[in-house]
Amino acid sequence: MVLKTILEAKGKFMSRRFPLEKIRNIGIIAHIDAGKTTATERILYHAGQTYKIGSVDEGTAVMDWMQQERERGITITSAATTCRWGEHSINIIDTPGHVDFTAEVERSLRVLDGGVVIFDGVSGVEAQTEAVWHQADKYKVARICFVNKMDRTGADFYRTVAMINERLRANALPIQLPLSTDNLFRGVIDLVENKAIAFLDGPNSTSVEEVIPEGDKAVVASYRQALLEKAAESDDQIMLMYLDGQDIPVSQLKAAIRRLTISSQVVPVLCGSALRGKGIQPLLEAIVDYLPSPLDIPPTYAGKVKGEGEILCQASDDEPFSALAFKTVSDPFMGRLTYMRVYSGKAKAGAQILNSTKSEKERLGKLYIMHADHREEVDYADVGGIVATLGLKKTSTGDTLCESTRPVLFEPIRFVEPVLSMAIEPKSKADQDKLDDVLGKLTAEDPSFKTYHDQETGQTLISGMGELHLEVLVERMFREFGVRVNVGKPQVAYKETITVPVESEGKFIRQSGGRGQYGHVWLRLEPGERGSGFEFCQKIRSGAIPKEFVPPVEAGVKMALQNGGLAGYPVVDVKVTLYDGSFHEVDSSELAFKMAASIAVKEGARKAKPVLLEPVMKMEIMAPAQFLGDIVGDLSSRRAHIENIESYVALSTIRCLVPLAETFGFATDLRSLSQGRATYTMQFHCNEELSDSLAEGIVTKVGRGK
């Protein structure tokens, strides 16, 4: 209600169009518990968007609007909001930090221009920090860093900066240094304006300027010189002023840092304490000063729907409308809500558009600017904006929306495959009737959540990124949709692959008195690079198979690869080439060639020496040094490969690779070994071949081995 009242009072401002150069689309990204949501809550408060500070610990955070988020104290789903700072409009997406919800980070970064990476000043660079950093690298998202929790015992700004350089291979450029008295953090030293800013204790964190303390002047001079040298490298005028010993105007220095940040040559680093509200106003200034507007981002390339070539979608109202749908949500009261980022042109509510990914016409319903779970209706979607709309029945995550006069296709968002599965069954007949519909809604929302019905066992299997991910989804089934289910034990989502190339023939010939069925193919199956997925090639010569039958062959190949011959798991990392075959003028059909391809794949896979692959997780454990030996011993019993161990004061960090199958129950054991003082995080690393003895046991258990 607090946010709703504020929004109603500010409705006129929020729907007003801002110049493109005054818009910032940013994401708040970090490792779990680094303080992302707390920082976002303080940003909203200091920007005047809310008049009461939300708390994660108390379950009152505006951005953690789901009941489960408030109960667990973690962010589960990315939440969007908008605020104003000065003459700028800032669109913010607060993302989860837990590895199980990495898909939320992936699709958010795909549509953002800039990011604020939050670091725990005590822990520094953590496992999930590396993951989200590499995701931002993939989408070329410009970043600034905020070293949080500087008021905690053990916080070390300089160590965190060194870790950013070493572990993230970034060019960290401190533009602030911590201002402390008797080891108590009380403000920041601004290297750009060469001044000290102290924050008074209190909800408003009022700031006062101070003279830089004598004891800090040497360190400040050193870091400021490094800042000026970096700026001089990119600006000839600053270079001349620097060499002549002249004072460089603040506006000119900020412009140089902005250019370096947008081009990802440097990453500005700030510091503060979000919980105490210290450093939030300078962070807001840095967001508008250094992170890009939609005009600073190169025009977005889109493919042509028909034919080869690319189209540049300029960030301009005069261009035809184009947008990317990056998230769908099933609202129990409003129906299907689709989030989209507008890359060119603008669209009004009620306009007819084209979903070029599915070649379907859609009609935009009402348009909203989102504020977590609250909505503010607007008349049109602006270029550079992030809005949500109702009424798109056939649009899903990653689809391109555009005008039919200029059909384009943006690169889709690619997500990591699920690594953990479990069986579920409805508790009653009433639950059974609703289960399929609810699973359909959840899979449409979450691309990292998959469902599968095993025909042999009759079980419904759900797959996700981890135990917490699946636990949250099962809870949502009951809380949001009223469906109660029984849950089986988690099962590892193994994969199969082949190890030697083979050639295989597939024939599907049926005669039934009238028109028959005739399909005949020759396929070459070859092992691919680990993680390459599936590749299909067509090398038919002399018209052995007509072109119209090639897509059915590919469909048959994909169908057969869903169930491998070794233990029934999906076959991955394989290249399949269609190089020969034959057809019948009358009896050949798409179905016949689809079945022939499926037969060829199944026969070939059996001869290609198939092996099982298991998911291997990258794990990072932080524990007091006295428990190190016991923890390492436990990891060794779990087939873990220790990569390195770092010690800092009395805290040790263990980085290792461990098979997912060996991680069940690890949380409980780790608490016991460390008296509850150790924590760990893990994320998917790769699929690796399983040893013959372990693979034989799994095949026997599944009951499909010979």
Side-chain angles (χ1 to χ4, degrees), residues 17 19-21 23 25 113 293-301 312-320 322 341-346 382-385 406 410:
R17 169 63 192 269
L20 274 176
E21 64 272 13
I23 294 175
N25 292 317
D113 303 326
S293 74
L295 289 178
D296 296 314
I297 301 300
T300 306
Y301 282 91
L312 278 178
C313 295
Q314 304 277 356
S316 168
D317 285 335
D318 300 328
E319 288 268 307
S322 66
R341 160 70 191 265
V342 183
Y343 284 100
S344 66
K346 61 181 181 181
D382 278 317
V383 60
R406 190 186 72 170
F410 290 121

Side-chain angles (χ1 to χ4, degrees), residues 175-177 188-197 212:
I175 60 173
Q176 288 180 357
L177 298 179
V188 299
I189 299 173
D190 188 329
L191 297 176
V192 177
E193 300 192 25
N194 203 23
K195 64 182 182 182
I197 305 171
I212 297 174

Side-chain angles (χ1 to χ4, degrees), residues 218-366:
V219 176
V220 170
S222 174
Y223 275 89
R224 179 168 167 77
Q225 182 176 351
L227 174 64
L228 296 176
E229 288 175 356
K230 182 59 67 174
E233 290 176 9
S234 67
D235 190 300
D236 292 340
Q237 191 173 358
I238 292 180
M239 174 67 80
L240 292 174
M241 296 172 71
Y242 175 71
L243 294 175
D244 290 342
Q246 301 178 36
D247 289 335
I248 300 170
V250 171
S251 59
Q252 205 166 341
L253 184 55
K254 285 185 176 181
I257 298 172
R258 177 180 176 81
R259 286 193 298 272
L260 291 168
T261 304
I262 292 173
S263 61
S264 295
Q265 295 181 58
V266 302
V267 183
V269 185
L270 301 89
C271 61
S273 170
L275 185 63
R276 309 298 174 198
K278 297 180 179 181
I280 297 301
Q281 296 100 323
L283 175 61
L284 278 162
E285 291 291 344
I287 289 171
V288 300
D289 285 342
Y290 306 125
L291 289 180
S293 74
L295 289 178
D296 296 314
I297 301 300
T300 306
Y301 282 91
K304 294 181 179 179
V305 175
K306 295 182 179 179
E308 297 180 356
E310 292 181 320
I311 297 174
L312 278 178
C313 295
Q314 304 277 356
S316 168
D317 285 335
D318 300 328
E319 288 268 307
F321 169 75
S322 66
L324 181 71
F326 68 94
K327 181 175 180 176
T328 59
V329 176
S330 296
D331 190 295
F333 303 104
M334 300 185 67
R336 191 184 180 94
L337 198 64
T338 304
Y339 289 71
M340 61 181 180
R341 160 70 191 265
V342 183
Y343 284 100
S344 66
K346 61 181 181 181
K348 291 185 177 181
Q352 189 178 72
I353 57 171
L354 173 69
N355 180 330
S356 55
T357 305
K358 294 185 170 68
S359 299
E360 296 278 358
K361 290 185 177 180
E362 296 261 43
R363 188 172 296 279
L364 292 174
K366 293 181 178 180

